[in-house]
Structures are given as C-alpha cells and as structure tokens.
C-alpha cells in the first residue's frame, strides 16, 4: 500500500479549520471539531471556543470566558480581538475600541483585525476613522472582499453613493452572489431611488441566504416601498415567527399596517409588544418613532423623554427627544458660551443633508461674530462655500476640541422668534447664476422648479404635474434615475441633466420663481435662498418643518401642505395648487 507521508491532523490544524468554519457560518461543524480538542488553558483553544460562542450570539458566556483568558494571556491578539467583539456586542463601544486597538498593535499585519477595529469605531460613531482604516486595508489588499464590502457599507452611510457602488461591485466580482454584498447593493439602489432594482437584488440576496434575518428584513422593506403590502406583511410575520423580538421586522410590519389604513390596530399591537418587553428600551423607542411617524408628536415626546431619562447613555433616545421638541416648536434652553477668537465646529458624519442645510444658518450667525472653522465632509464643503458669511474650512485635528453643529442652537440662544432671521443664508456663485439666468431666459416666466419621489407612498411626477398651472414653465430639478420619468411629460425643462455639482444646483435654483415638491434637497436649497415654494410633507413631518400659526418657522417663504392620511395625496395636491397660484399671483403684483 502506498504511503502519503501525511501525519494526522494536529490540534492546531483542528483549531485553524474550526476558525474557518466559524467564519463561513458552519457552526455545527466548528463545534464538532472543537469538541475533539482536549480541554486546555491554551489561549488559541480558548479564543476559538469564545469565537464560536460569539457566533452563536452567546455573548455573556463568551465574555466570561474571554475576561479570564485575556487577563491570563494579555499579549494574545486573538483573545484581545474576541474580547473587543464581545464588548461591542454588549454595547460597550469604548472598551471594544481599546481592546481592538491593542489587538491591532499585537498583530500589526492582520488586516482582519483592522477591519474588526474599523467596525467597532463605526459603531461608536467614529465613521471617518473607520473609513480611513478600511480604505487602507483595501489599498493593501485590493482582493479583500470583506474590506470592499465594509468600505461600501460605510460609504452608503456617508451617502457617498458613487464610491459605495465601486466598492460593492468590486466585491461582487471577487465573490459573486455573496448575499451580504448583494443586500448592501440593494440598500444602495434603494437609497438612490431605484426601488424596483433594489427589490430585484434583494430577492437575489434572499435566494442565496434564505435564513438570513437581515436579508429577509431588507426584502420586506423593499416590498413595502413598492406597495406590495401583502407580501411585505407576510415576510415580516414569517421573520417574527422565529425571531419574535426582531425590531426591524416589527417596525416594517407596523408601518405596512398603517399604510393599509390599520393605524390604531398597528399601534395597539406594537404597544402590547413594548409592554411585554419593558427591559428593551429600544422597543419603547421604536414605538415613540412610530407615534412620530403618524403625527402624534406629544405622545412620542413623552415616551422618548422617558427612555432618555431612564437610559442616560442612549444617544438615540436623546436625539429623538430633541427632534420632537423642535418639531413642536420648542427650542433648547439657551446656554450662551463665551466665544473666543475662533470656534471649531464639526458636522458629525451621520448628519443628513437636509438637516445640514437647515442648520447651516447657524454657521452664518456664528461667523458674523467671530472666525469659525468648520470640519465637514467634502459633500458639504460646497454648501459651506456658498454661505452668505464664509466659514473657514478645516480638517480634523486630534486633540483639538470641536462643537457639534447641532450644539450651536443653545449656544446662539436660538428660538422660534429668531430661527429665520438669517434667511436667506446661501449665496449662489455670481458667474454660475448669470449663466443659468441666460439659459432660462428663452422660456416664459414664471419658472417653477419641480421635484418628485418614487415608491408606493411618495409623490410621483404625475402628482406634482397636477399642482403646476398651465401658465408657468416647469423646470425639472431631478438629477437621479427618476429624471427619466420625464419621458412621460414633455413640458418641463430638464435642468437636472446639466447639473453635475452642488454649486450648479444652487445657482440654477436661485434663478427660479418658486420650487414645488416633497421634502427634498432642492426644497431646502430654495428655502435657504429665501425663494417661495410649496412643500408636501406627511403627518409625521421632520422637525425643520415645524410651524407656528400655519407658517413654517425655519423656512418662512414656503407653504407647508401636510398630508392627512398616509399615501393619500389628492387633497394635499388640490391645496398645494391653490397655494402655488396665490404665491405666483402675489409675486406678479409685487
């Protein structure tokens, strides 16, 4: 009989293979291998067993094992890594980052540890640092599919959609049909308004991983966006059958029921769930958000405030409570600070574009008193350059304190009486503005900018068209895939096809007589420029559309039309048409 010269598998072979099985999700096989390893205090064995416990979501058990093992073997990178993962899963992000930075220092060549550190940094809110580390891994290992996937998801969160697309498509080239990459590509398509394509890709992701709860939840979300209510509800209820506390599925189910006209039943079911899970503050916070969604702001605020008081470290609860206070026209108590020669303001990476535009007026007010250095992502720097009072663009600098943009509200003693005194606070580029004025001059006035939405509950182009009088020239400001809807309506001027830069967008809008559409980037730019317009918002409108005596506090030049029932736009459209006609008539008289 021929001999191979191959010895039997060693303990290290079994541990290495078990780790590979854990990474691939083959947990039963990993456990079977680890059972063959003799019980020992060897750190590699302890690390592998802890990794299996973490993969099975047995976080407390894993932490107990790791706490003792990492103390006994402080220089073992694997134990430090898994301890950091356990801290992150338990919500202790500072401790997670400390452990993972130590692990990265112990094993500086391990790109996987660096990616795990970047994930923990993202969870803690340090998105810029997380992206920098992930980007460095991609540059060091261009064929690392995990790194590309992580970079793509970070860029989605940062709304850098072109960069996200490049990373995700590259990851799919390396690992075709990977369900996580497909799901994130679907998220990207959804964020870009390509709902049908997003649904198709979500279906493929589900096909590749039919038991994945994240994929099933996202699939339900896509189905709801397309108005497939029955399918979305069935998907949620199937997920909740084996994951009863899955908040994502419960949120989608509640919103689907509300869209179907079952608002009271939906809120009653969610309230029952929250009462049965009083130890889960995130469940109460979900109920508060749903109450906000249906316009029951006072009830939502009471609940969010309660969670904020009882869970003092819950930043989401504080953020929701603050937003609801603003929605109700209540501003934070003034906390004037002694302003020095210069102030450093940071725009947190997760700040949405619409929120940023609304709050940018505070930068103008601050710069009128002193020099203000602003640290912001590139996508916001063009807007900062168009402020009527120029701020000084700056880069992050370790060790220097910064003031979050949102914190300027109490510092500048902002309230309902003075929130709009800075409008207009954007200033278009003079040369670009003149170019757009000349381009539009060939068309009869008034020029009314239009935007619309996609999805089952959004305002379609046809619905916006019903708002526009025949006597005006509609000017399409759409720049994404929905611009192609114009093939069904020949009247509007397709301005969006010529816009490649935010400065162009600002200059084009500055020449219009009014802007009409749902809550959107174009509407906020118009409001910041002081233009008139009509905005359509749901009952649960965002805080920057707060009103007093029927007039918006933040953008007083606009008329706000509030939807009475989710998905029903006929009444608001009639109201919006009358309001637009009145605005244009007043402008003509002036």
């Amino acid at each position: 009989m021929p001999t191979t010269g191959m010895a039997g598998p060693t303990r290290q072979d079994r541990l290495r293979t078990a780790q590979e099985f854990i990474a691939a999700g083959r947990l039963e096989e990993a456990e079977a291998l680890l059972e063959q390893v003799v019980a020992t205090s060897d750190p590699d064995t302890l690390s592998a067993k802890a990794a299996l416990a973490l993969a099975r979501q047995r976080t407390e058990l894993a932490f107990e094992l790791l706490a003792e093992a990492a103390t006994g073997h402080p220089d073992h990178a694997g134990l430090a890594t898994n301890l950091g993962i356990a801290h992150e899963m338990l919500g202790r992000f500072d401790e997670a980052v400390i452990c993972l930075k130590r692990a990265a220092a112990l094993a500086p060549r391990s790109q996987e540890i660096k990616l795990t550190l970047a994930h923990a940094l993202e969870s803690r809110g340090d998105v810029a640092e997380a992206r920098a580390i992930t980007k460095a891994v991609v540059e060091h290992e261009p064929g690392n599919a995990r790194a590309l996937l992580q970079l793509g998801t970070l860029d989605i969160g940062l709304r850098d959609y072109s960069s996200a697309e490049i990373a995700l498509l590259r990851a799919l080239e390396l690992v075709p049909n990977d369900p996580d990459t497909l799901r994130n590509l679907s998220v990207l398509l959804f964020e870009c308004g390509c709902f049908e394509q997003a649904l198709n890709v979500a279906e493929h992701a589900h096909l590749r991983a039919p038991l994945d709860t994240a994929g099933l939840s996202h699939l339900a979300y896509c189905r709801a966006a397309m108005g497939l209510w029955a399918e979305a509800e069935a998907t949620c209820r199937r997920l909740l059958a084996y994951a009863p506390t899955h908040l994502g599925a419960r949120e989608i189910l509640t919103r689907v029921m509300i869209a179907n006209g079952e608002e009271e039943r939906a809120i009653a079911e969610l309230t029952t769930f929250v009462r049965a899970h009083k130890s889960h503050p995130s469940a109460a916070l979900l109920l508060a958000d749903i109450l906000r969604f249906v316009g029951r702001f006072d009830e939502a605020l009471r609940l969010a405030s309660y969670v904020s008081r009882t869970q003092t470290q819950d930043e989401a609860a504080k953020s929701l409570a603050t937003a609801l206070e603003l929605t109700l026209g209540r501003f934070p108590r003034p906390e004037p600070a002694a302003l020095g020669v210069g102030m450093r303001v940071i725009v947190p990476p997760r700040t949405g574009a619409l929120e940023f535009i609304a709050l940018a007026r505070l930068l103008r007010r601050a710069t009128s008193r002193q020099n203000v250095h602003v640290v912001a992502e590139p996508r916001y720097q063009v807007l900062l350059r168009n402020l009527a009072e120029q701020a000084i663009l700056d880069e992050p600098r370790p060790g220097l304190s910064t003031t979050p943009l949102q914190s300027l509200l109490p510092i500048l003693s902002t309230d309902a009486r003075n929130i709009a005194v800075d409008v207009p606070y954007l200033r278009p580029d003079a040369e670009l503005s003149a170019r757009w004025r000349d381009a539009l001059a060939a068309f009869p006035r008034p020029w009314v900018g239009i935007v619309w939405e996609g999805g089952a509950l959004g305002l379609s182009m046809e619905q916006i068209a019903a708002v526009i009088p025949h006597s005006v020239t509609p000017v399409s400001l759409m720049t994404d895939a929905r611009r192609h809807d114009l093939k069904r309506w020949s009247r509007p001027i397709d301005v969006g096809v010529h816009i490649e830069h935010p400065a162009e967008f600002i200059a084009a809008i500055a020449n219009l007589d009014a802007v009409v559409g749902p809550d959107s980037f174009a509407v906020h730019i118009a409001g910041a420029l002081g233009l008139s317009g009509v905005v359509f918002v749901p009952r649960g409108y965002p805080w920057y559309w707060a009103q007093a005596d029927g007039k918006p506090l933040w953008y007083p030049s606009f008329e706000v039309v509030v939807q009475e029932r989710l998905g029903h736009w006929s009444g608001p459209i009639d109201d919006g048409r009358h309001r637009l006609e009145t605005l244009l008539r007043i402008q003509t008289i002036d």
Side-chain angles (χ1 to χ4, degrees):
M1 180 178 292
T3 59
T4 63
M6 181 181 295
T10 65
R11 180 169 60 85
Q12 286 299 324
D13 291 333
R14 288 189 172 89
L15 289 175
R16 186 167 47 252
T17 305
Q19 292 281 18
E20 292 172 359
F21 284 161
I22 293 169
R26 298 163 61 179
L27 305 185
E28 299 297 334
E29 294 161 279
E31 186 168 25
L33 277 179
L34 290 175
E35 286 175 352
Q36 299 173 25
V37 179
V38 177
T40 175
S41 60
D42 171 69
D44 292 335
T45 304
L46 294 172
S47 181
K49 290 185 175 181
L52 178 61
L54 290 171
R56 291 191 179 281
Q57 302 292 313
R58 297 171 182 168
T59 316
E60 296 288 355
L61 172 63
F63 185 78
E64 289 180 13
L65 176 63
L66 287 162
E68 184 174 350
T71 302
H73 304 277
D75 295 331
H76 192 277
L79 288 171
T81 299
N82 285 323
L83 183 59
I85 293 171
H87 276 306
E88 183 180 355
M89 292 175 69
L90 292 167
R92 298 192 287 258
F93 303 123
D94 289 337
E95 292 87 343
V97 169
I98 290 170
C99 289
L100 289 165
K101 283 188 174 181
R102 178 177 178 78
L106 291 169
R109 295 184 180 180
S110 173
Q111 304 304 313
E112 294 305 302
I113 292 178
K114 292 176 184 176
L115 291 176
T116 305
L117 168 60
H119 189 279
L121 285 164
E122 180 192 11
S123 299
R124 193 174 71 172
D126 298 328
V127 183
E129 186 178 356
R131 190 188 187 280
I133 292 173
T134 307
K135 180 69 172 175
V137 174
V138 169
E139 291 171 351
H140 187 267
E141 293 184 352
N144 189 324
R146 178 192 169 190
L148 286 162
L149 170 58
Q150 187 159 302
L151 181 62
T153 57
L154 282 165
D155 283 336
I156 291 173
L158 292 169
R159 296 176 179 82
D160 187 348
Y161 297 141
S162 59
S163 179
E165 181 181 12
I166 292 169
L168 293 175
L169 291 179
R170 176 71 181 125
L172 279 177
E173 287 177 8
L174 295 167
V175 187
N177 295 318
D178 175 65
D180 287 337
T181 307
L182 286 169
R183 174 168 51 81
N184 280 282
L185 180 59
S186 175
V187 171
L188 172 62
L189 289 165
F190 192 96
E191 291 292 321
C192 292
C194 304
F195 300 116
E196 187 171 354
Q197 291 174 265
L199 175 58
N200 291 338
V201 176
E203 295 276 10
H204 280 288
H206 177 58
L207 178 67
R208 305 302 302 187
L211 299 181
D212 178 53
T213 56
L216 199 58
S217 176
H218 177 66
L219 177 59
Y221 195 72
C222 290
R223 286 173 171 170
M226 291 295 292
L228 303 172
W229 309 125
E231 293 91 333
E233 181 172 351
T235 305
C236 289
R237 293 199 182 279
R238 184 166 55 133
L239 177 52
L240 290 170
Y242 60 78
T245 60
H246 194 289
L247 291 184
R250 200 158 289 279
E251 177 181 3
I252 297 167
L253 176 61
T254 303
R255 290 175 184 265
V256 166
M257 292 173 68
I258 292 170
N260 267 329
E262 300 178 284
E263 180 178 315
E264 293 303 324
R265 179 188 162 209
I267 292 177
E269 280 192 17
L270 184 57
T271 301
T272 300
F273 172 79
V274 171
R275 287 173 176 165
H277 298 82
K278 293 181 179 179
S279 61
H280 294 275
S282 51
L285 207 57
L286 170 57
L287 176 57
D289 196 44
I290 290 295
L291 290 169
R292 179 206 58 78
F293 177 64
V294 297
R296 291 159 64 167
F297 299 125
D298 288 300
E299 295 173 68
L301 177 58
R302 284 196 294 272
L303 189 52
S305 298
Y306 170 77
V307 176
S308 181
R309 287 195 305 272
T310 56
Q311 306 291 325
T312 55
Q313 302 301 312
D314 195 325
E315 293 300 323
K318 293 177 185 176
S319 178
L320 180 57
T322 299
L324 285 163
E325 291 274 11
L326 290 172
T327 305
L328 290 166
R330 305 170 192 167
F331 288 78
R333 180 179 302 147
E335 298 177 5
L339 302 178
V341 175
M343 169 185 273
R344 286 175 55 82
V345 176
I346 186 168
V347 181
R350 295 296 189 186
T351 304
L354 307 188
E355 179 183 6
F356 171 75
I357 299 170
L359 292 171
R361 69 192 68 205
L362 302 175
L363 293 171
R364 181 193 179 183
R365 191 180 309 173
T367 53
S368 67
R369 306 183 187 183
Q370 62 172 15
N371 290 333
V372 175
H373 294 252
V374 181
V375 179
E377 300 165 45
R379 63 190 173 123
Y380 291 148
Q381 290 179 5
V382 171
L383 292 171
L384 290 170
R385 292 189 185 99
N386 281 269
L387 281 176
E389 298 283 347
Q390 285 278 312
I392 302 169
L393 299 181
D394 210 339
E395 298 293 329
R397 297 184 189 178
L400 290 181
S401 63
T402 56
T403 301
L405 175 59
Q406 294 82 347
S407 297
L408 291 181
L409 282 168
I411 290 174
L412 297 174
S413 302
T414 311
D415 58 27
R417 294 166 299 176
N418 62 28
I419 188 59
V421 297
D422 298 298
V423 178
Y425 53 92
L426 283 187
R427 178 179 55 198
D429 178 271
E431 183 178 341
L432 290 176
S433 183
R435 191 183 307 166
W436 277 107
R437 184 165 56 252
D438 292 342
L440 291 168
F443 303 94
R445 300 188 81 148
W447 303 323
V448 176
I450 56 171
V451 287
W452 57 88
E453 295 173 303
L457 300 177
L459 270 167
S460 68
M461 181 189 70
E462 285 77 9
Q463 290 170 314
I464 290 296
V467 179
I468 307 301
H470 291 290
S471 58
V472 310
T473 297
V475 178
S476 170
L477 300 170
M478 300 298 292
T479 58
D480 59 17
R482 284 167 290 189
R483 186 180 62 79
H484 299 296
D485 293 348
L486 287 169
K487 62 187 177 183
R488 303 194 303 267
W489 187 23
S490 60
R491 274 186 65 202
I493 303 169
D494 186 3
V495 161
V497 72
H498 302 290
I499 293 176
E500 298 181 356
H501 197 270
E504 290 268 2
F505 201 65
I506 295 170
I509 292 175
N511 282 283
L512 302 177
D513 297 298
V515 172
V516 175
D519 186 27
S520 58
F521 187 74
V523 165
H524 279 254
I525 292 296
L529 288 166
L531 264 69
S532 299
V534 178
V535 62
F536 296 89
V537 297
R539 275 191 297 163
Y541 49 82
W543 53 264
Y544 38 70
W545 291 115
Q547 300 162 72
D549 299 324
K551 296 297 293 182
L553 296 173
W554 294 72
Y555 297 117
S557 60
F558 262 74
E559 294 288 328
V560 181
V561 179
V562 182
Q563 186 184 42
E564 293 183 1
R565 182 181 169 191
L566 191 67
H568 289 249
W569 288 109
S570 57
I573 286 170
D574 289 340
D575 186 11
R577 183 172 56 251
H578 294 314
R579 295 201 196 195
L580 177 61
E581 289 172 346
T582 301
L583 284 174
L584 295 176
R585 187 163 54 248
I586 292 172
Q587 286 185 2
T588 302
I589 293 171
D590 291 344

